[in-house]
Structure formats: structure tokens, C-alpha cells
């Protein structure tokens, strides 16, 4: 690509993650124009950005649009088009695309594929069994008292995982997947796992097919209500830095990242895009020391949501340069720079989320504190007005010198946004003082 040329980028998706990607790309002097398909009410108002009404699964439509507008780079946000091979499709049309191809997107799209990868590359992970039918799954639950986490193999909007307390619950989960077909074809197979106790964290890596550069670690809040209660959601808030990561980064590096470095040296594992590693860190006290043991819970083949809204405001490097380097195998030529500040993102959802969504409620956003940004997720512009259009509506992020200050600023900014059914967790980042940090 000629130096000094300004580029056109298409961002595929329409959530808070995609708004944050557009927001960050718009800051790049090398970006001329951003298109977001289909985008949302926030991307519609973002600098250099235009929404395009093409669905994320309309591969032919996306390809034709890129050709017509001479798009230089496509960034794929969501899991579904990655799993269905959007990257392969667009690359076959000669386009430059950020994201893994279909085969490696299975790291997210098939939990069995991911577990086999972890074992092959000797990463610590919970022991498991794969069952292809109802009877085998029931037998596994009855035979193995440790098999209490039941996972539908495929993509299930983050809802296909049951963490069970006993045999009866585990059988109920198996029935929900195989008999009630709650997740359709995503439940044609299940992974049964041992239940691990510990603290979760997210580690996102930029990968160029041969190597990776990590982003600062984050913690997400998946449960809907304060105190980590209620149903699992796409994510109700995230923050960085993570004190636990500071304490156990060596274990993570040796046991999880080193195997990945080796895997990326294999020609078959030319993973390009973001690899998101969901970790559970168990800890125990031995004499006066705390020993940490990381386990890989899952991979996602993309940026996280709302992790992206929390992490990109800390990125000092030009995002376009990094994404291009991932597609050309030249991450070694990039120096990733991050602010040493802290970031906190709180999601404003509809009260009925995750059961149902909100449509058409008027949203108002008044003057925000400096260092706070509102990313839109389920919003749209209707008759010139900003209205709700989804379950998670907005993600409010603040950056400050300390995590406490970032949290206060994020909540202060959140009080500047309103819509009738607004609901949010009031304890984002509170667990940064959790038990595993005690001596
Ligand atoms: P996953 O989509 O595999 O990350 O699972 C969703 C959530 O289920 C995780 O964020 C954890 O909170 C929980 N989970 C998954 N696997 C396990 C496990 N083996 N032990 C305990 N909790 C788990
Ligand atoms: N926040 C977790 C995810 O993006 O899947």
C-alpha cells in the first residue's frame, strides 16, 4: 500500500465494539473514510464515518460494496460472519481483511475445537469430555462427578454455557441443549467440563499470522446484576488495568502465551485478527505465599464487547497501522503504545435485558465530563432523533489516573445519559479487591 495514501475502511457490525473501532480509526490521520455496516446511532454521528445498510451476513452485498467504493481494509467485528467465513469470502474477492478465516474462527465457533487446540498446545484448561448426543452426555454426567459445566458447542450468543451445582442441574442442561434444542444447531454437540473456581480476566491479542502483541488485561462483568447475580449477558462493564494480572502475568506468559507463540510458528496456525483469551485464575495460599494457576476457559476470534470500549481509549498507537500490520504479517514493525492510565466502561442496558430489548425510547445525552466517551450499541436515529434499538444501549467509558477515579468519572458520565428503561450495574470494577488478592 503506497505510503501517504489515505485509506477507506469498512467496519462490519453494529454494536458498541464497532462504534469504538470506528471512533479510534477516525483519529488516524491515514484514514480518509470509514463505512460501518450496518452501524448504529453512534457510528452515524462519528467523525469520518457513514453507516451503510448492509447486514453482516450479506457476504455478496458487503463484497460488492467494497469493490464499488474501493475499500482498502475491512474489519470484521462480530462472531457470526467470522464463523461463517466472511474473511475467506472477501479475501477471495481480492480484499484486505482484518479477522481470522473460517477454519481458525472455529476457536470461538466450536468449543470442542478450542479444547482440542488447548490440549494439543499444552495450555492449562479444565478437563473435559465431548459428547455428540443426548445419551452420551447423560452418561458422562453420571459417570464423572466433575463434569458439571455443560457447554453447547457452537455460537449461542454467549448463553450456551451452564455452570451447574450438581448432577440434576447438569442433566437439565443436557436436556435443554439436546432435547429442547434451545440453541438449535449450536447444540448438536456438547462439551462437559470440570468446574473451576477463581477470578476471570480477558486477554486480547493482536495477531499477524506469525506473532502477537497483547493489549492490557481487562475484567468483564458478565452477569446482569450487582454482586455477579442473575443471568449471563454479553457483558455489563469492563475495566483495566487488572491487579490480579499484575500478580500472575508470569504464570500466564509461561503457561498460556508461550504455547501460543510456538503455535503461531506453525504454518497451519496463521491466525490473523484479534484472539481473545478468556482466563480463569485459581489461587491458593501456600505458607505465606499465594500461588496462581491460570486456566484457559475459552477463545473468541474477535475484539470483545464491552472490552473494546474499555481498551481502545487507552491505546496511544494508530489503530489503522496495527490492523494493517496484522493483515500483512508485519506486527514486528509496530510498536504498540498504551496509556498508563486506567479505564472503566459501564454498560447502560434496557431494564428487560437480556430477556428482551427496547425499541424507540428517546435517548438524551447531556454534556459529558472530559475524558468520558459514550459509545453506542443498541441505538438508531429515527426521524432525526436518537432512540433505543436493542438490549445493551450505550457503553460509557472514562479514563483517569487511577482505577477509582476512572470508575467515578464513568458513573458521573452515565448520569448524563438517560432513556426511560435505563438499567446498569453499580459495582463495575468493585471486584478489583477480591479474595484472590489477599496475601
Ligand atoms: P465461556 O463462553 O466458555 O467463557 O463460558 C461462559 C462463562 O461460564 C465464563 O465466563 C465463566 O464464567 C463460566 N465458565 C465457563 N467454563 C467454566 C469452567 N470450566 N468452570 C467454571 N466456570 C466456567
Ligand atoms: N465480553 C465478552 C465477549 O465479548 O464475548
Amino acid at each position: 500500500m503506497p505510503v501517504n495514501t489515505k485509506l477507506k475502511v469498512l467496519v462490519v457490525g453494529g454494536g458498541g465494539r464497532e462504534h469504538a473501532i470506528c471512533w479510534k480509526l477516525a483519529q488516524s490521520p491515514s484514514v480518509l473514510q470509514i463505512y460501518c455496516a450496518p452501524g448504529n446511532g453512534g457510528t452515524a454521528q462519528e467523525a469520518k464515518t457513514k453507516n451503510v445498510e448492509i447486514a453482516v451476513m450479506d457476504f455478496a452485498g458487503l463484497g460488492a460494496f467494497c469493490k464499488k467504493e474501493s475499500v482498502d481494509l475491512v474489519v470484521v467485528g462480530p462472531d457470526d460472519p467470522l464463523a461463517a467465513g466472511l474473511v475467506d469470502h472477501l479475501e477471495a474477492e481480492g480484499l484486505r481483511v482484518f479477522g481470522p478465516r473460517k477454519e481458525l474462527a472455529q476457536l470461538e465457533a466450536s468449543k470442542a475445537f478450542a479444547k482440542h487446540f488447548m490440549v494439543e498446545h499444552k495450555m492449562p484448561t479444565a478437563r473435559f469430555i465431548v459428547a455428540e448426543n443426548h445419551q452420551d452426555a447423560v452418561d458422562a454426567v453420571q459417570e464423572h462427578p466433575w463434569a458439571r459445566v455443560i457447554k453447547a458447542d457452537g455460537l449461542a450468543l454467549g448463553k450456551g454455557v451452564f455452570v451447574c451445582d450438581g448432577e440434576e442441574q447438569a442433566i437439565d442442561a443436557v436436556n435443554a441443549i439436546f432435547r429442547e434444542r434451545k440453541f438449535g444447531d449450536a447444540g448438536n454437540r456438547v462439551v462437559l467440563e470440570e468446574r473451576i473456581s477463581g477470578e476471570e480476566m480477558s486477554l486480547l491479542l493482536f495477531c499477524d499470522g506469525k506473532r502477537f502483541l497483547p493489549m492490557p488485561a481487562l475484567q468483564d462483568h458478565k452477569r446482569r446484576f450487582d454482586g455477579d447475580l442473575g443471568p449471563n449477558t454479553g457483558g455489563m462493564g469492563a475495566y483495566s488495568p487488572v491487579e490480579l494480572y499484575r500478580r500472575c502475568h508470569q504464570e500466564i506468559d509461561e503457561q498460556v502465551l508461550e504455547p501460543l507463540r510456538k503455535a503461531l510458528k506453525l504454518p497451519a496456525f496463521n491466525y490473523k485478527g484479534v484472539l481473545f483469551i478468556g482466563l480463569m485464575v485459581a489461587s491458593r495460599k501456600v505458607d505465606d505465599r499465594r500461588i496462581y494457576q491460570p486456566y484457559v476457559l475459552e477463545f473468541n476470534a474477535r475484539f470483545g464487547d464491552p472490552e473494546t470500549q474499555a481498551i481502545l481509549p487507552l491505546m496511544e498507537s494508530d489503530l489503522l497501522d496495527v490492523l494493517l500490520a496484522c493483515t500483512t504479517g508485519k506486527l514486528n514493525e509496530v510498536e504498540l503504545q498504551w496509556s498508563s492510565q486506567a479505564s472503566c466502561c459501564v454498560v447502560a442496558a434496557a431494564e428487560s435485558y437480556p430477556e428482551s430489548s427496547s425499541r424507540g425510547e428517546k435517548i438524551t445525552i447531556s454534556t459529558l465530563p472530559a475524558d468520558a466517551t459514550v459509545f453506542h450499541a443498541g441505538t438508531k436515529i429515527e426521524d432525526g432523533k436518537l432512540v433505543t434499538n436493542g438490549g445493551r444501549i450505550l457503553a460509557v467509558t472514562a479514563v483517569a489516573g487511577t482505577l477509582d477515579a476512572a470508575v467515578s468519572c464513568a458513573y458521573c458520565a452515565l448520569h448524563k445519559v438517560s432513556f426511560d428503561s435505563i438499567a446498569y450495574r453499580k459495582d463495575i470494577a468493585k471486584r478489583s479487591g477480591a479474595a484472590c488478592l489477599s496475601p
Side-chain angles (χ1 to χ4, degrees):
M1 201 144 307
V3 187
N4 295 331
T5 308
K6 292 215 176 199
L7 305 190
K8 293 182 177 180
V9 185
L10 171 71
V11 176
V12 176
R17 163 184 51 214
E18 286 76 22
H19 186 187
I21 293 170
C22 292
W23 169 87
K24 184 64 187 163
L25 282 172
Q27 294 168 19
S28 168
S30 313
V31 169
L32 174 69
Q33 174 73 55
I34 303 163
Y35 300 103
C36 192
N40 58 36
T43 54
Q45 302 171 49
E46 194 55 63
K48 301 185 189 174
T49 307
K50 261 191 212 154
N51 284 352
V52 193
E53 265 194 54
I54 307 176
V56 302
M57 298 303 278
D58 179 0
F59 290 10
L62 291 167
F65 177 83
C66 291
K67 291 273 180 67
K68 183 167 123 281
E69 296 298 334
S70 306
V71 165
D72 300 287
L73 173 69
V74 183
V75 184
V76 185
D79 50 6
D80 281 328
L82 288 167
L86 178 58
V87 174
D88 311 55
H89 178 90
L90 295 178
E91 283 184 349
E93 300 212 352
L95 294 158
R96 182 184 298 280
V97 194
F98 178 85
R101 293 188 185 145
K102 182 175 179 173
E103 198 203 335
L104 295 181
Q106 285 186 82
L107 282 176
E108 173 166 12
S110 165
K111 294 203 183 280
F113 182 94
K115 291 295 274 191
H116 291 307
F117 178 88
M118 293 169 208
V119 171
E120 186 185 337
H121 296 284
K122 302 191 169 54
M123 294 176 178
T125 189
R127 60 181 152 162
F128 71 104
I129 294 173
V130 178
E132 305 281 346
N133 58 55
H134 181 263
Q135 190 58 52
D136 287 356
V138 170
D139 290 348
V141 168
Q142 287 171 341
E143 202 174 312
H144 303 289
W146 52 262
R148 294 294 173 260
V149 180
I150 314 297
K151 301 183 174 185
D153 184 56
L155 297 177
L157 297 169
K159 294 177 186 166
V161 175
F162 298 82
V163 181
C164 305
D165 280 325
E167 182 174 318
E168 198 181 328
Q169 272 186 16
I171 301 278
D172 286 348
V174 167
N175 289 341
I177 295 171
F178 279 115
R179 290 242 165 105
E180 294 157 34
R181 307 283 306 154
K182 260 196 150 170
F183 308 104
D185 286 348
N188 285 344
R189 182 190 282 153
V190 299
V191 173
L192 303 100
E193 271 183 36
E194 178 170 19
R195 184 171 175 173
I196 308 285
S197 299
E199 275 286 305
E200 284 182 62
M201 71 172 85
S202 312
L203 200 54
L204 280 69
L205 316 174
F206 286 109
C207 302
D208 74 350
K210 296 181 216 130
R211 57 185 78 75
F212 64 79
L213 288 176
M215 306 182 209
L218 296 122
Q219 277 186 306
D220 180 13
H221 296 254
K222 287 209 168 81
R223 299 298 192 103
R224 171 66 177 78
F225 300 114
D226 286 14
D228 287 333
L229 299 173
N232 263 321
T233 69
M236 295 299 293
Y239 62 95
S240 182
V242 177
E243 171 57 20
L244 177 59
Y245 180 74
R246 199 181 63 73
R247 300 200 185 191
C248 64
H249 66 91
Q250 203 174 331
E251 288 84 348
I252 293 175
D253 191 73
E254 286 168 9
Q255 299 179 41
V256 179
L257 298 184
E258 191 51 31
L260 202 59
R261 275 185 205 102
K262 286 192 185 139
L264 279 163
K265 295 210 163 75
L266 305 170
F269 191 65
N270 63 340
Y271 189 98
K272 293 183 183 181
V274 168
L275 182 65
F276 172 134
I277 310 177
L279 293 167
M280 178 83 87
V281 180
S283 75
R284 67 197 158 90
K285 241 181 121 173
V286 176
D287 300 327
D288 283 345
R289 282 182 57 223
R290 199 160 265 282
I291 309 281
Y292 295 100
Q293 176 57 56
Y295 293 89
V296 180
L297 286 187
E298 64 159 349
F299 294 116
N300 293 323
R302 53 174 173 81
F303 281 104
D305 189 334
E307 284 87 345
T308 308
Q309 298 91 306
I311 210 68
L312 289 185
L314 292 177
M315 190 178 184
E316 288 174 347
S317 315
D318 184 320
L319 179 62
L320 181 76
D321 291 345
V322 181
L323 300 184
L324 285 175
C326 288
T327 66
T328 52
K330 291 192 174 151
L331 260 187
N332 54 321
E333 293 178 8
V334 164
E335 210 186 309
L336 254 186
Q337 289 191 326
W338 298 96
S339 158
S340 57
Q341 290 191 294
S343 171
C344 173
C345 167
V346 184
V347 169
E351 198 161 20
S352 58
Y353 175 75
E355 273 70 45
S356 62
S357 312
S358 153
R359 314 251 167 237
E361 286 177 58
K362 187 166 170 256
I363 302 171
T364 56
I365 304 177
S366 50
T367 311
L368 297 170
D371 298 325
T373 310
V374 173
F375 296 112
H376 294 224
T379 75
K380 69 172 181 178
I381 312 266
E382 204 170 62
D383 302 328
K385 291 201 187 81
L386 185 67
V387 297
T388 59
N389 185 39
R392 288 187 292 177
I393 310 297
L394 302 165
V396 181
T397 300
V399 168
T402 63
L403 186 56
D404 281 349
V407 173
S408 305
C409 184
Y411 279 103
C412 174
L414 191 77
H415 296 137
K416 307 284 179 194
V417 308
S418 73
F419 50 95
D420 281 349
S421 71
I422 190 168
Y424 52 88
R425 276 184 60 162
K426 300 190 174 54
D427 64 346
I428 300 303
K430 288 270 169 63
R431 74 157 94 83
S432 49
C436 60
L437 298 181
S438 65

